[in-house]
Amino acid sequence: MKIKKVVCSAGKTGFFFDDQKAIKAGAIADGNTYLGNPVTEGFSSIRQTGEAISVLFVLEDGEVAYGDCAAVQYSGAGGRDPLFLAKDFIPIINEEVAPLFVGKEITTFREMAKTADCYVSARTGKILHTAIRYGVTQACLDAAAKNKKTLMAKIIAQEYGLEVSDKLIPIFSQSGDDRYTNTDKMILKGADALPHGLFNNVPAKVGNNGEKLAEYVTWLRDRIIKLRPSQTYSPVIHIDVYGTLGIVFNNNPEKIAGYLKTLEENAGPFLIRIEGPVDMGDREKQIQALAQLRQILDEKKINVQIVADEWCNTYEDIVLFTDRKAGHMIQIKTPDLGGINNTIEAVLYCKNKNMGSYLGGTCNETNRSAEICAHIGMAAHPDQILAKPGMGVDEGYMIIYNEMSRILALKNII
């Protein structure tokens, strides 16, 4: 079956684009926005509406396969591709991507994904924006599944020599700044890992000596015990600290490890993971710091898992962090990897190397990209998958949970 036409539609994401540089420089929050002027190129305000592009493959039989191009909340920061605005990138998709597929036979997902992911733009001489590659390869997967009249998860499993999971992948939910009320939602819904927490400021959230975070972990443990739907419910406590422990303890790994021991005690009986304990400002330094911290934790038998995030964005980064044991788990930030073929391969690489794999992404995605990530999760078996998009808990959890449930119901039928 051939692809008859490629159509684009502008869309919205489940959250916002935020100018990280302006926020780090001290932009003042004002309700759900920020006061001041943006500093990152392309931004018209410090916080602006998240945008997406649906790429729709119209097939010969009248069906439509599609995926959503989306970028992370902090676009344009940390070496990422520039701000992703629909008006700027729809013309590129129409002029450069569409001709790669219109009138062509649907082959395998991996072959079509490689076409999109490796294409070098005639305009720039570079590969396409990560968001374009993310959405177009989603459409490729959907087209391959519709061509064979089966599930996207089964296409991935068939092409990578895998088996579709016979149970749901553990779901990790994120709270944003509403780390109390939103946590209640997570507990009541039975989220497998929670709450992310957004601990990105030392004096206001973590505490100058880490005391505020320690108090929160104690509160969280008690809240889980009070509200849990059953005595068997035992979620992982997973908190992102955005490098702030490095600030509090002057990047001293022994002192950070000692503090993590306190968090382990406060979290008990629940396992605790700390994402991004330090931010060394450089990939190599980050790898060294996380590898050293993991070694100390393991040697001292401190049962806290650290999760790599900062400076671990691309497939190549993930390989380096994994090979050097820079952490116990890697967050695979799906839009940052470009084509979803890279996401699949990153999960499999982590698993083959006994590194924890967290199929993550961003609150700034869409329902469609989240649904397709659910298919990736059910085929590739990461250790956990992010409930996305948005920061409201209910919507993102529903999207991921329900799509995985549908896959379970249909995997032996189609």
Side-chain angles (χ1 to χ4, degrees), residues 69-116:
C69 305
V72 297
Q73 174 186 4
Y74 297 121
S75 290
R80 293 185 174 98
D81 284 346
L83 188 66
F84 187 72
L85 302 178
K87 67 178 179 59
D88 296 332
F89 290 97
I90 285 178
I92 294 173
I93 296 171
N94 287 336
E95 294 167 20
E96 296 203 55
V97 178
L100 299 175
F101 296 99
V102 173
K104 305 294 176 60
E105 290 283 347
I106 297 171
T107 57
T108 65
F109 159 67
R110 295 178 77 169
E111 182 178 335
M112 291 190 296
K114 184 177 181 180
T115 296

Short mmCIF file of all heavy atoms in Angstrom, two decimals, residues 69-116:
data_model
loop_
_atom_site.label_atom_id
_atom_site.label_comp_id
_atom_site.label_asym_id
_atom_site.label_seq_id
_atom_site.Cartn_x
_atom_site.Cartn_y
_atom_site.Cartn_z
N CYS A 69 4.47 16.04 16.00
CA CYS A 69 5.77 16.68 16.23
C CYS A 69 5.65 17.55 17.47
O CYS A 69 4.76 18.40 17.55
CB CYS A 69 6.16 17.55 15.05
SG CYS A 69 6.18 16.71 13.45
N ALA A 70 6.52 17.34 18.44
CA ALA A 70 6.48 18.13 19.67
C ALA A 70 7.89 18.23 20.23
O ALA A 70 8.74 17.38 19.97
CB ALA A 70 5.55 17.48 20.70
N ALA A 71 8.12 19.28 21.00
CA ALA A 71 9.43 19.52 21.61
C ALA A 71 9.27 19.71 23.10
O ALA A 71 8.17 19.97 23.60
CB ALA A 71 10.10 20.74 20.98
N VAL A 72 10.37 19.62 23.82
CA VAL A 72 10.32 19.69 25.28
C VAL A 72 9.97 21.09 25.77
O VAL A 72 10.07 22.08 25.03
CB VAL A 72 11.65 19.23 25.91
CG1 VAL A 72 11.92 17.77 25.57
CG2 VAL A 72 12.81 20.11 25.46
N GLN A 73 9.58 21.16 27.03
CA GLN A 73 9.20 22.43 27.66
C GLN A 73 10.30 23.47 27.54
O GLN A 73 10.04 24.63 27.21
CB GLN A 73 8.89 22.15 29.14
CG GLN A 73 8.60 23.38 29.98
CD GLN A 73 8.45 23.03 31.45
OE1 GLN A 73 8.62 21.87 31.85
NE2 GLN A 73 8.11 24.01 32.27
N TYR A 74 11.54 23.06 27.81
CA TYR A 74 12.66 24.01 27.78
C TYR A 74 13.36 23.96 26.42
O TYR A 74 14.56 23.71 26.33
CB TYR A 74 13.64 23.71 28.91
CG TYR A 74 13.05 23.88 30.29
CD1 TYR A 74 13.02 22.81 31.18
CD2 TYR A 74 12.50 25.09 30.69
CE1 TYR A 74 12.48 22.96 32.45
CE2 TYR A 74 11.95 25.24 31.96
CZ TYR A 74 11.93 24.18 32.83
OH TYR A 74 11.38 24.32 34.08
N SER A 75 12.62 24.23 25.38
CA SER A 75 13.19 24.22 24.03
C SER A 75 14.22 25.34 23.88
O SER A 75 14.11 26.39 24.51
CB SER A 75 12.08 24.41 22.99
OG SER A 75 11.26 23.26 22.93
N GLY A 76 15.21 25.07 23.04
CA GLY A 76 16.24 26.07 22.79
C GLY A 76 17.28 26.18 23.88
O GLY A 76 18.19 27.01 23.80
N ALA A 77 17.19 25.34 24.93
CA ALA A 77 18.14 25.40 26.04
C ALA A 77 19.02 24.16 26.05
O ALA A 77 18.63 23.10 25.57
CB ALA A 77 17.38 25.49 27.37
N GLY A 78 20.21 24.31 26.60
CA GLY A 78 21.10 23.17 26.78
C GLY A 78 21.53 22.51 25.49
O GLY A 78 21.71 21.30 25.44
N GLY A 79 21.68 23.30 24.42
CA GLY A 79 22.12 22.76 23.15
C GLY A 79 21.02 22.13 22.32
O GLY A 79 21.28 21.53 21.29
N ARG A 80 19.76 22.25 22.77
CA ARG A 80 18.65 21.69 22.02
C ARG A 80 18.35 22.51 20.78
O ARG A 80 18.76 23.66 20.65
CB ARG A 80 17.40 21.61 22.90
CG ARG A 80 17.49 20.63 24.06
CD ARG A 80 16.15 20.56 24.78
NE ARG A 80 16.14 19.54 25.81
CZ ARG A 80 16.35 19.76 27.09
NH1 ARG A 80 16.58 20.99 27.51
NH2 ARG A 80 16.33 18.77 27.96
N ASP A 81 17.56 21.92 19.88
CA ASP A 81 17.11 22.62 18.70
C ASP A 81 16.24 23.82 19.10
O ASP A 81 15.71 23.86 20.21
CB ASP A 81 16.31 21.67 17.79
CG ASP A 81 17.21 20.72 17.03
OD1 ASP A 81 18.43 20.96 16.99
OD2 ASP A 81 16.70 19.73 16.48
N PRO A 82 16.09 24.79 18.20
CA PRO A 82 15.36 26.02 18.54
C PRO A 82 13.88 25.79 18.81
O PRO A 82 13.34 24.72 18.56
CB PRO A 82 15.57 26.91 17.32
CG PRO A 82 15.86 25.96 16.20
CD PRO A 82 16.62 24.84 16.82
N LEU A 83 13.25 26.85 19.32
CA LEU A 83 11.82 26.83 19.63
C LEU A 83 11.03 26.29 18.44
O LEU A 83 11.24 26.69 17.31
CB LEU A 83 11.36 28.24 19.98
CG LEU A 83 9.94 28.40 20.51
CD1 LEU A 83 9.80 27.73 21.87
CD2 LEU A 83 9.60 29.89 20.62
N PHE A 84 10.10 25.40 18.75
CA PHE A 84 9.35 24.71 17.69
C PHE A 84 7.97 25.35 17.53
O PHE A 84 7.06 25.06 18.31
CB PHE A 84 9.22 23.22 18.02
CG PHE A 84 8.62 22.40 16.92
CD1 PHE A 84 9.34 22.14 15.77
CD2 PHE A 84 7.32 21.91 17.03
CE1 PHE A 84 8.79 21.39 14.74
CE2 PHE A 84 6.76 21.16 16.01
CZ PHE A 84 7.49 20.91 14.86
N LEU A 85 7.84 26.21 16.53
CA LEU A 85 6.59 26.88 16.25
C LEU A 85 6.01 26.36 14.94
O LEU A 85 6.72 26.23 13.94
CB LEU A 85 6.79 28.40 16.16
CG LEU A 85 7.38 29.06 17.41
CD1 LEU A 85 7.57 30.55 17.18
CD2 LEU A 85 6.50 28.81 18.63
N ALA A 86 4.72 26.07 14.95
CA ALA A 86 4.08 25.44 13.79
C ALA A 86 4.26 26.24 12.52
O ALA A 86 4.54 25.68 11.46
CB ALA A 86 2.59 25.22 14.09
N LYS A 87 4.11 27.55 12.59
CA LYS A 87 4.19 28.38 11.38
C LYS A 87 5.56 28.30 10.72
O LYS A 87 5.69 28.47 9.50
CB LYS A 87 3.85 29.83 11.71
CG LYS A 87 4.84 30.54 12.60
CD LYS A 87 4.46 31.98 12.84
CE LYS A 87 5.44 32.69 13.77
NZ LYS A 87 6.83 32.71 13.25
N ASP A 88 6.59 28.04 11.52
CA ASP A 88 7.95 27.98 10.98
C ASP A 88 8.27 26.62 10.37
O ASP A 88 9.08 26.54 9.43
CB ASP A 88 8.97 28.27 12.08
CG ASP A 88 8.86 29.68 12.64
OD1 ASP A 88 8.42 30.57 11.88
OD2 ASP A 88 9.21 29.88 13.81
N PHE A 89 7.65 25.56 10.87
CA PHE A 89 8.08 24.22 10.48
C PHE A 89 7.10 23.47 9.59
O PHE A 89 7.50 22.50 8.93
CB PHE A 89 8.44 23.41 11.73
CG PHE A 89 9.69 23.89 12.39
CD1 PHE A 89 9.64 24.76 13.47
CD2 PHE A 89 10.93 23.51 11.92
CE1 PHE A 89 10.79 25.23 14.08
CE2 PHE A 89 12.10 23.96 12.51
CZ PHE A 89 12.04 24.83 13.60
N ILE A 90 5.85 23.89 9.51
CA ILE A 90 4.94 23.26 8.55
C ILE A 90 5.46 23.40 7.12
O ILE A 90 5.44 22.43 6.35
CB ILE A 90 3.50 23.82 8.70
CG1 ILE A 90 2.85 23.22 9.96
CG2 ILE A 90 2.65 23.47 7.47
CD1 ILE A 90 1.44 23.74 10.23
N PRO A 91 5.95 24.59 6.71
CA PRO A 91 6.50 24.69 5.34
C PRO A 91 7.65 23.73 5.08
O PRO A 91 7.77 23.19 3.98
CB PRO A 91 6.96 26.15 5.27
CG PRO A 91 6.11 26.87 6.27
CD PRO A 91 5.92 25.90 7.40
N ILE A 92 8.50 23.50 6.10
CA ILE A 92 9.62 22.58 5.92
C ILE A 92 9.12 21.15 5.71
O ILE A 92 9.62 20.42 4.85
CB ILE A 92 10.57 22.67 7.13
CG1 ILE A 92 11.23 24.05 7.18
CG2 ILE A 92 11.63 21.57 7.07
CD1 ILE A 92 12.06 24.30 8.42
N ILE A 93 8.12 20.76 6.51
CA ILE A 93 7.56 19.42 6.35
C ILE A 93 6.93 19.27 4.97
O ILE A 93 7.14 18.25 4.28
CB ILE A 93 6.54 19.13 7.46
CG1 ILE A 93 7.23 19.14 8.83
CG2 ILE A 93 5.84 17.78 7.22
CD1 ILE A 93 6.28 19.08 10.01
N ASN A 94 6.17 20.27 4.55
CA ASN A 94 5.51 20.20 3.24
C ASN A 94 6.51 20.16 2.09
O ASN A 94 6.32 19.42 1.12
CB ASN A 94 4.58 21.41 3.06
CG ASN A 94 3.32 21.30 3.90
OD1 ASN A 94 2.90 20.21 4.27
ND2 ASN A 94 2.72 22.43 4.23
N GLU A 95 7.57 20.93 2.21
CA GLU A 95 8.52 21.06 1.10
C GLU A 95 9.58 19.97 1.08
O GLU A 95 10.04 19.56 0.00
CB GLU A 95 9.19 22.43 1.16
CG GLU A 95 8.23 23.59 0.91
CD GLU A 95 8.83 24.94 1.27
OE1 GLU A 95 10.08 25.03 1.33
OE2 GLU A 95 8.06 25.90 1.48
N GLU A 96 10.01 19.50 2.26
CA GLU A 96 11.13 18.57 2.29
C GLU A 96 10.77 17.16 2.75
O GLU A 96 11.34 16.18 2.26
CB GLU A 96 12.24 19.13 3.19
CG GLU A 96 12.84 20.44 2.65
CD GLU A 96 14.24 20.67 3.18
OE1 GLU A 96 15.10 19.79 3.00
OE2 GLU A 96 14.47 21.74 3.79
N VAL A 97 9.85 17.04 3.70
CA VAL A 97 9.53 15.72 4.23
C VAL A 97 8.50 15.01 3.36
O VAL A 97 8.65 13.82 3.04
CB VAL A 97 9.03 15.82 5.69
CG1 VAL A 97 8.65 14.44 6.21
CG2 VAL A 97 10.10 16.45 6.56
N ALA A 98 7.45 15.73 2.97
CA ALA A 98 6.38 15.10 2.18
C ALA A 98 6.90 14.37 0.94
O ALA A 98 6.48 13.23 0.68
CB ALA A 98 5.33 16.14 1.81
N PRO A 99 7.82 14.97 0.16
CA PRO A 99 8.31 14.27 -1.03
C PRO A 99 9.04 12.96 -0.74
O PRO A 99 9.16 12.11 -1.63
CB PRO A 99 9.27 15.28 -1.67
CG PRO A 99 8.80 16.61 -1.18
CD PRO A 99 8.32 16.36 0.21
N LEU A 100 9.50 12.78 0.51
CA LEU A 100 10.17 11.53 0.86
C LEU A 100 9.20 10.36 0.93
O LEU A 100 9.60 9.20 0.83
CB LEU A 100 10.86 11.66 2.23
CG LEU A 100 11.96 12.74 2.37
CD1 LEU A 100 12.42 12.80 3.82
CD2 LEU A 100 13.12 12.43 1.44
N PHE A 101 7.88 10.67 1.11
CA PHE A 101 6.91 9.62 1.36
C PHE A 101 5.74 9.57 0.38
O PHE A 101 5.18 8.49 0.16
CB PHE A 101 6.36 9.77 2.79
CG PHE A 101 7.39 9.58 3.86
CD1 PHE A 101 8.00 10.66 4.47
CD2 PHE A 101 7.78 8.30 4.24
CE1 PHE A 101 8.97 10.48 5.45
CE2 PHE A 101 8.74 8.11 5.21
CZ PHE A 101 9.34 9.20 5.82
N VAL A 102 5.37 10.69 -0.21
CA VAL A 102 4.21 10.69 -1.10
C VAL A 102 4.47 9.81 -2.32
O VAL A 102 5.51 9.91 -2.98
CB VAL A 102 3.86 12.13 -1.55
CG1 VAL A 102 2.76 12.11 -2.61
CG2 VAL A 102 3.41 12.96 -0.36
N GLY A 103 3.53 8.91 -2.59
CA GLY A 103 3.65 8.00 -3.72
C GLY A 103 4.53 6.79 -3.47
O GLY A 103 4.69 5.94 -4.35
N LYS A 104 5.09 6.70 -2.26
CA LYS A 104 5.99 5.59 -1.92
C LYS A 104 5.23 4.45 -1.23
O LYS A 104 4.24 4.67 -0.53
CB LYS A 104 7.12 6.08 -1.00
CG LYS A 104 7.90 7.25 -1.56
CD LYS A 104 8.70 6.89 -2.81
CE LYS A 104 9.40 8.10 -3.39
NZ LYS A 104 10.35 8.73 -2.48
N GLU A 105 5.72 3.25 -1.43
CA GLU A 105 5.15 2.08 -0.77
C GLU A 105 5.49 2.09 0.72
O GLU A 105 6.59 2.50 1.11
CB GLU A 105 5.69 0.79 -1.39
CG GLU A 105 5.20 0.50 -2.80
CD GLU A 105 3.77 -0.03 -2.81
OE1 GLU A 105 3.26 -0.41 -1.73
OE2 GLU A 105 3.17 -0.06 -3.90
N ILE A 106 4.56 1.65 1.52
CA ILE A 106 4.84 1.46 2.95
C ILE A 106 5.69 0.20 3.08
O ILE A 106 5.29 -0.88 2.66
CB ILE A 106 3.53 1.31 3.74
CG1 ILE A 106 2.70 2.59 3.64
CG2 ILE A 106 3.82 0.96 5.20
CD1 ILE A 106 1.30 2.45 4.22
N THR A 107 6.87 0.36 3.65
CA THR A 107 7.76 -0.79 3.85
C THR A 107 7.78 -1.13 5.33
O THR A 107 6.73 -1.26 5.94
CB THR A 107 9.16 -0.46 3.31
OG1 THR A 107 9.67 0.73 3.96
CG2 THR A 107 9.12 -0.22 1.80
N THR A 108 8.95 -1.28 5.92
CA THR A 108 9.03 -1.54 7.35
C THR A 108 9.11 -0.22 8.11
O THR A 108 9.53 0.81 7.57
CB THR A 108 10.26 -2.38 7.71
OG1 THR A 108 11.45 -1.63 7.42
CG2 THR A 108 10.26 -3.68 6.92
N PHE A 109 8.74 -0.26 9.37
CA PHE A 109 8.88 0.93 10.20
C PHE A 109 10.33 1.38 10.24
O PHE A 109 10.62 2.57 10.07
CB PHE A 109 8.38 0.66 11.62
CG PHE A 109 8.94 1.62 12.64
CD1 PHE A 109 8.59 2.96 12.60
CD2 PHE A 109 9.84 1.18 13.60
CE1 PHE A 109 9.13 3.86 13.52
CE2 PHE A 109 10.39 2.07 14.52
CZ PHE A 109 10.03 3.40 14.48
N ARG A 110 11.23 0.46 10.47
CA ARG A 110 12.64 0.85 10.64
C ARG A 110 13.20 1.50 9.39
O ARG A 110 13.97 2.47 9.47
CB ARG A 110 13.47 -0.38 11.04
CG ARG A 110 13.07 -0.93 12.39
CD ARG A 110 13.86 -2.16 12.78
NE ARG A 110 15.21 -1.84 13.24
CZ ARG A 110 16.03 -2.71 13.82
NH1 ARG A 110 15.62 -3.96 14.03
NH2 ARG A 110 17.23 -2.35 14.22
N GLU A 111 12.81 1.00 8.24
CA GLU A 111 13.29 1.59 6.99
C GLU A 111 12.73 2.99 6.79
O GLU A 111 13.46 3.92 6.45
CB GLU A 111 12.92 0.70 5.80
CG GLU A 111 13.44 1.21 4.46
CD GLU A 111 13.09 0.29 3.31
OE1 GLU A 111 12.89 -0.92 3.56
OE2 GLU A 111 13.02 0.77 2.17
N MET A 112 11.43 3.16 7.03
CA MET A 112 10.81 4.47 6.84
C MET A 112 11.31 5.47 7.88
O MET A 112 11.54 6.65 7.58
CB MET A 112 9.30 4.35 6.89
CG MET A 112 8.70 3.61 5.71
SD MET A 112 6.89 3.73 5.64
CE MET A 112 6.43 2.88 7.14
N ALA A 113 11.49 5.00 9.13
CA ALA A 113 11.98 5.88 10.17
C ALA A 113 13.39 6.37 9.86
O ALA A 113 13.71 7.54 10.08
CB ALA A 113 11.96 5.16 11.52
N LYS A 114 14.21 5.50 9.34
CA LYS A 114 15.57 5.89 8.98
C LYS A 114 15.55 6.96 7.89
O LYS A 114 16.36 7.91 7.91
CB LYS A 114 16.37 4.67 8.51
CG LYS A 114 17.83 4.98 8.21
CD LYS A 114 18.59 3.71 7.82
CE LYS A 114 20.06 4.03 7.54
NZ LYS A 114 20.81 2.80 7.15
N THR A 115 14.63 6.85 6.95
CA THR A 115 14.51 7.86 5.89
C THR A 115 14.29 9.24 6.48
O THR A 115 14.92 10.22 6.07
CB THR A 115 13.35 7.50 4.95
OG1 THR A 115 13.65 6.26 4.30
CG2 THR A 115 13.12 8.58 3.90
N ALA A 116 13.38 9.32 7.45
CA ALA A 116 13.06 10.61 8.06
C ALA A 116 14.14 11.07 9.03
O ALA A 116 14.53 12.25 9.05
CB ALA A 116 11.72 10.54 8.79
#
